[in-house]
Amino acid sequence: MKLLYTFCLSLLSVTLLQAQVIEQDTIKPGRGNRDAQLKNIKDRKARLFTDSLGGTEPTNKVLLDTTLYNKYGDLLHDDPEYNFRQPLWKPAAQVIGVNLAFMGFNRYVAKADYAYVSPATWKHNLRSEPEWDTDEFGINFIGHPYQGTLYFNAARSQGYNYWQSLPFAVGGSATWEYFGENTLPSYNDLIYTPINGAALGEILYRLSSNILDDRTTGRERVIREVAAGVINPIRGLNRLLQGKTSQVTNKEVYEKEPINITLFAGVHRINTKQDDVFGSGGNKAMFNVQLDYGNPFEDQKRKPFDLFRLRAEFSHGGGDTISGIINNITGYGILFGRNSTVGKVDVLTGLFQYYDYWNTRNFDLGALGFGPGLFTRLPLSKQVNLYTNAHVGVIPLAGNSTRFAPDENGLRDYVYTTGLHGKIESTLSLGRHASASFVYYHYLLKTIEGLEGTNSIGIVRPRVTVQLFKNVSLGYEHFGYTTNRKLEQYATQRSTITDQKIFLQLFLEDRQRRGRYN
């Protein structure tokens, strides 16, 4: 009887504490200043639901209803009552509106030759087979995916989930290809624009959700709305149309996951000669931002992009790239996944989508990929962890520069390819004090349109960081790029170049998520 009494009392205590935790997320009218209540809610959540030292999840996670909340006390889904799905015609009309806006700009502002469309050009496009276009590399592999994010978020920001929004990206891209230009529709855009557009669109949607908080008012609310609108313009427009920019709620209404932000700024040294590990060369200013969204080792049922990483690097000056200031944009997002534990090792296995854009002196590469991935965390002590993730994948479509050889039409210096990739990233994290990382990517590509041939590309990136004070570290990173192009009509092109980067790193860690998974 005593044992039964103790069990019932414990169960009652947990239930009461759980109710208290959930209730605390709601601002109560008449209970004091709204801003003060909101601060208390966030402080209490951070105190109760923070990754335990030496662990990967909050120790008090059992206090939450995991059908509604993740282990950090945040919603698993957008509140369906507040973010209800709009009628189908609304996102469809907005997709058409996006295309009309682009068509109007291209014709009446840019006055581009391809923008002069008519029923005759539409009829011609509908009766013709698509082609592989000759747009600039950056337009095809950065510009078009971004255009796809607009179609995707026309639906995503009106109550549709990831899978329901994907067809709008497909439809928007198809209607643009057939009706938005007087050139023939292109195979590459019909594939790359909607699929990578959906991936980047979901990332932008998640980032804007982490910024928005409809419980806030005043200056803070304005700053949040503007920032979210800059990151996700279509969502910002829809919030205006739906009246949400001024609507104030008493509870959180958006799905969120912890996010860690890493900023790098420093000097990028470019070795002039090929095959030099270190050598003479010029220096450029560089800036890098990396976003790590979600905890790979949190045990939960995962939806698309509940976990993702996005990294972008920029340099001042064109000497270190073929063109422009963008060195690379890379990322991955989970589509399906499952967590487990093997001894002391925390494990996540899943299916991922990958986005790669590399603009180096050695090659251009833009790739869409899918494949399985494995994440592990091996705790060596409460402060020291070894994080590793490994991926293999299929590349349905990629673009890769030929550098010295134009295509048979003489119009572009890259070919369309398909192939495979393998990636491994490993970081030994000594808590806040230091880290040592090793990253290696490899791509095997075969031409499907353009100059026949293959290319084997390797990218190696070791890095070390040492803490200077608080969240600021001094870092060194060494880049090595190798390419081995075998074109049937040209001599084999083998090349290795290296760069070095010295930088200051600012690590902005979510108050609830411990662990430097980067």
Side-chain angles (χ1 to χ4, degrees), residues 267-273 279-285 315-316 319-320 361 498-501:
V267 177
H268 180 181
R269 182 171 180 80
I270 305 161
N271 297 330
T272 303
K273 296 181 179 180
S280 60
N283 297 322
K284 300 289 184 181
S315 285
H316 177 67
D320 52 339
R361 291 173 292 143
T498 57
D499 302 336
Q500 295 82 44
K501 298 172 184 180

Side-chain angles (χ1 to χ4, degrees), residues 446-457:
K446 179 176 174 56
T447 299
I448 56 176
E449 201 284 329
L451 294 171
E452 292 296 329
T454 62
N455 197 1
S456 175
I457 294 174

Side-chain angles (χ1 to χ4, degrees), residues 150-302:
L150 305 179
Y151 305 137
F152 177 86
N153 274 300
R156 190 70 173 95
S157 62
Q158 298 197 68
Y160 292 74
N161 65 27
Y162 176 85
W163 297 112
Q164 294 166 342
S165 301
L166 180 58
F168 290 90
V170 174
S173 175
T175 53
W176 173 260
E177 290 298 310
Y178 282 92
F179 304 107
E181 300 173 317
N182 57 32
T183 56
L184 290 177
S186 61
Y187 290 112
N188 49 288
D189 291 340
L190 290 169
I191 297 169
Y192 212 84
T193 299
I195 298 179
N196 263 345
L200 294 176
E202 181 68 12
I203 288 174
L204 297 181
Y205 184 83
R206 297 298 189 102
L207 293 176
S208 60
S209 286
N210 269 42
I211 293 172
L212 292 169
D213 189 340
D214 287 12
R215 296 170 295 179
T216 59
T217 58
R219 182 172 61 180
E220 179 183 350
R221 180 62 176 271
V222 172
I223 293 173
R224 288 180 181 273
E225 294 289 345
V226 171
V230 169
I231 289 174
N232 193 341
I234 292 296
R235 188 179 192 181
L237 172 62
N238 282 331
R239 286 181 63 81
L240 281 169
L241 296 175
Q242 296 164 6
K244 289 183 177 179
T245 54
S246 58
Q247 190 171 350
V248 179
T249 65
N250 287 334
K251 61 180 182 179
E252 181 61 89
V253 291
Y254 302 117
E255 174 186 3
K256 296 182 179 180
E257 291 286 344
I259 183 169
N260 289 345
I261 303 172
T262 312
L263 303 174
F264 310 78
V267 177
H268 180 181
R269 182 171 180 80
I270 305 161
N271 297 330
T272 303
K273 296 181 179 180
Q274 291 190 20
D275 302 321
D276 275 353
V277 177
F278 297 94
S280 60
N283 297 322
K284 300 289 184 181
M286 58 82 67
F287 175 74
N288 183 301
V289 58
Q290 178 172 305
L291 308 174
D292 290 283
Y293 178 92
N295 179 352
F297 308 110
E298 179 189 356
D299 187 9
Q300 66 163 274
K301 184 178 180 181
R302 298 182 188 274

